Amino acid sequence: VQLQASGGGLVQAGGSLRLSCQVSGGTFVQFGWFRQAPGKDREFVASITWTGIHPYYADSVKGRFTISSDNAKNTVYLQMNSLKPEDTAVHFCAADRYYSGNHSQADFGSWGQGTLVTVSS
């Protein structure tokens, strides 16, 4: 099982980035993105089912970020628009074989490595 996150980088405030999470070696039902800023706990960002339904967002990113899945490419995306300096964090993709409808770290059993997003003011 492998979740490979990519797409992070340095962007100015107001800019956009698209993160990708390539999934291989397993069958999953739900996917999520989490992030961890320096000195802070890891927090939920967004989640979606493999069929692309039930997208759910943290209040802090609602209206700016969009999560989506592409079954043909085995990839989950996080489109991030109107980025703010407070979005600066290592972003992680996560997955689970069951749909829980919950959004805590414990609801996701598989994790990829993080990709760093830095938003300058």
Side-chain angles (χ1 to χ4, degrees):
V1 174
Q2 187 172 14
L3 303 173
Q4 184 73 35
S6 62
L10 174 63
V11 64
Q12 288 188 330
S16 298
L17 283 174
R18 188 177 78 161
L19 304 184
S20 300
C21 179
Q22 180 73 42
V23 181
S24 61
T27 302
F28 300 102
V29 174
Q30 70 173 7
F31 295 86
W33 286 97
F34 290 75
R35 67 187 183 185
Q36 188 167 18
K40 295 187 177 181
D41 293 334
R42 190 173 299 187
E43 65 177 5
F44 169 79
V45 175
S47 65
I48 196 168
T49 60
W50 188 232
T51 54
I53 61 174
H54 300 306
Y56 187 83
Y57 301 93
D59 288 343
S60 59
V61 307
K62 201 172 295 182
R64 300 188 297 122
F65 291 10
T66 302
I67 188 171
S68 62
S69 62
D70 185 331
N71 293 3
K73 295 183 178 180
N74 290 332
T75 303
V76 178
Y77 301 100
L78 185 69
Q79 177 67 44
M80 305 184 295
N81 299 328
S82 303
L83 283 161
K84 305 175 181 180
E86 51 264 43
D87 295 317
T88 294
V90 177
H91 286 64
F92 300 88
C93 62
D96 202 87
R97 301 181 187 276
Y98 302 96
Y99 175 69
S100 66
N102 298 317
H103 311 98
S104 70
Q105 295 182 55
D107 293 296
F108 295 86
S110 298
W111 290 78
Q113 93 294 352
T115 183
L116 177 62
V117 172
T118 304
V119 184
S120 63
S121 58

